[in-house]
Amino acid sequence: MHRIHFTADDVARVRVAPTLGPMAETLFSLHALRGRTEEAMFGAWRRRVRGGLDSRSAVLAAITPARKPAFDMVFLAGPSRDLAESAETFLASPRQAVRAELDFYAGQHSRVPAALAGLVDTLAVRREVLSTVDAYHRAAIGPHWTGIRAHLDAERARRGAILLDRGIDGLLSGLHPKIRWTPPTLHVDCGDRFDADFTLDGRGLLLVSSFFLRAPSVMYDPRNPADCIVIYPAALGVDHAAGIWTAGTSTQALANLLGRTRASVLTAIADGVTTTGALARSLDVSSAAISQHTTVLREAGLITTRRHHNNVLHNPTRTGLTLLDRDHTHPTT
């Protein structure tokens, strides 16, 4: 059990982020790939990805062995908006930080796998590990990333609504069955044998959702444990997961019809990313470009647009959902 102790300043500084980025979710997905749990949500994806793994999968197995803990490459790569930024951070990670992670890994598994042994001192080994992770991302995560990111953005919006309606107590009490809020302490059951206490020292706490992690986790720097992050599973239904896997397989055909960015905009709107600003952040394009694309989609009868207070909200039409091969109901988290 991990216990995170809050002061009044910490409560006032709770923040919610949708994701740590595509590198983190790619690495988290290795846990889901190894397991057999929640087959209804991940079974089709597992079978497809496992069938395409090549000999380099030994590196992936070294990063995430069958028995926890994994090599914490997520911590070393850091949060980011894209794989390139995470790769740069990982390549520049101080030798002491990499050695500390490998020492912890060796302490739990008796040894460091050969595929990871040179990470401390050899840049070529770091590049080889990154190359393997990148190839895995392109095969397993990339085709579905737009839907995954849209789902995580919608999850953040839902948590924001809970915060507005029920306050911090409501937010922290409803994150996950294995996360328990008994003020002033947040208890996080990470499903491992480690027991730890964290004092935030007025820094507050960052809450981050994950699509692939289905149990909560606490990520922190052992040299500075006050600066920790709680990663919690995003709410995910079987139908929505199936829609993400199906949408990923038809992305290229839709892109050929509408253009890649416009297809991504329509898909994100169907996945619940409704405002111009959220679409711009999710797809990493300007708000002006989003406005141009939504104008075309609206004129084609694929979306509707309305203003709510200071926000412009977009929703898919029946025609838009049919084009995406989605059910004619707006998806919810």
Side-chain angles (χ1 to χ4, degrees):
M1 182 69 69
H2 289 46
R3 293 169 294 274
I4 303 172
H5 305 283
F6 287 69
T7 65
D9 287 340
D10 296 313
V11 170
R13 293 181 177 128
V14 171
R15 294 98 63 210
V16 183
T19 176
L20 291 174
M23 174 69 82
E25 282 300 315
T26 296
L27 293 167
F28 292 155
S29 76
L30 293 173
H31 296 278
L33 184 65
R34 268 196 171 279
R36 296 182 180 274
T37 59
E38 305 196 43
E39 183 70 10
M41 287 192 291
F42 295 108
W45 171 79
R46 283 190 187 115
R47 288 188 291 274
R48 182 183 64 79
V49 174
R50 286 171 178 168
L53 291 177
D54 58 24
S55 60
R56 294 200 300 175
S57 62
V59 175
L60 303 177
I63 295 171
T64 307
R67 180 171 61 86
K68 293 183 178 180
F71 172 63
D72 199 351
M73 191 170 167
V74 174
F75 168 71
L76 294 172
S80 68
R81 299 183 68 173
D82 55 44
L83 287 178
E85 183 180 349
S86 289
E88 289 178 7
T89 303
F90 179 66
L91 289 173
S93 295
R95 295 170 66 249
Q96 302 94 314
V98 179
R99 181 178 289 111
E101 293 298 332
L102 288 176
D103 286 348
F104 179 76
Y105 185 106
Q108 301 303 313
H109 297 286
S110 301
R111 66 182 185 88
V112 173
L116 306 180
L119 286 175
V120 174
D121 298 308
T122 308
L123 196 60
V125 175
R126 295 194 192 188
R127 292 189 185 281
E128 179 60 28
V129 169
L130 284 170
S131 175
T132 300
V133 171
D134 180 68
Y136 168 73
H137 169 86
R138 284 186 278 108
I141 310 302
H144 314 292
W145 179 245
T146 296
I148 291 170
R149 177 58 199 260
H151 184 84
L152 296 176
D153 283 333
E155 169 71 21
R156 181 177 186 258
R158 191 168 73 91
R159 296 299 172 181
I162 292 172
L163 176 63
L164 291 173
D165 289 341
R166 298 169 50 199
I168 286 291
D169 280 346
L171 174 65
L172 296 179
S173 297
L175 289 171
H176 189 268
K178 291 187 176 182
I179 300 177
R180 181 167 50 90
W181 171 238
T182 55
T185 303
L186 190 69
H187 304 260
V188 184
D189 180 359
C190 298
D192 54 34
R193 61 183 181 276
F194 300 108
D195 195 75
D197 285 88
F198 302 88
T199 302
L200 297 174
D201 294 334
R203 300 186 187 198
L205 180 67
L206 179 62
L207 306 170
V208 184
S209 61
S210 172
F211 184 88
F212 284 103
L213 279 189
R214 305 319 296 165
S217 179
V218 178
M219 190 171 78
Y220 64 96
D221 183 348
R223 298 165 298 180
N224 188 16
D227 193 11
C228 63
I229 297 172
V230 170
I231 305 167
Y232 70 94
L236 181 63
V238 172
D239 290 343
H240 199 177
I244 288 175
W245 308 138
T246 302
T249 60
S250 60
T251 297
Q252 187 57 52
L254 188 62
N256 291 339
L257 177 66
L258 299 178
R260 178 176 298 177
T261 303
R262 199 165 295 151
S264 296
V265 171
L266 179 60
T267 302
I269 291 172
D271 284 329
V273 185
T274 60
T275 69
T276 298
L279 287 165
R281 291 189 296 272
S282 175
L283 301 176
D284 195 21
V285 298
S286 69
S287 294
I290 291 294
S291 295
Q292 291 175 355
H293 289 305
T294 53
T295 296
V296 174
L297 293 171
R298 184 170 58 254
E299 290 174 348
L302 302 180
I303 66 170
T304 60
T305 300
R306 63 184 177 89
R307 183 171 291 277
H308 181 69
H309 300 307
N310 293 325
N311 289 318
V312 175
L313 305 179
H314 309 286
N315 286 287
T317 64
R318 286 180 175 271
T319 303
L321 289 171
T322 299
L323 187 62
L324 291 168
D325 195 23
R326 303 286 186 92
D327 181 74
H328 290 169
T329 56
H330 194 64
T332 60
T333 54

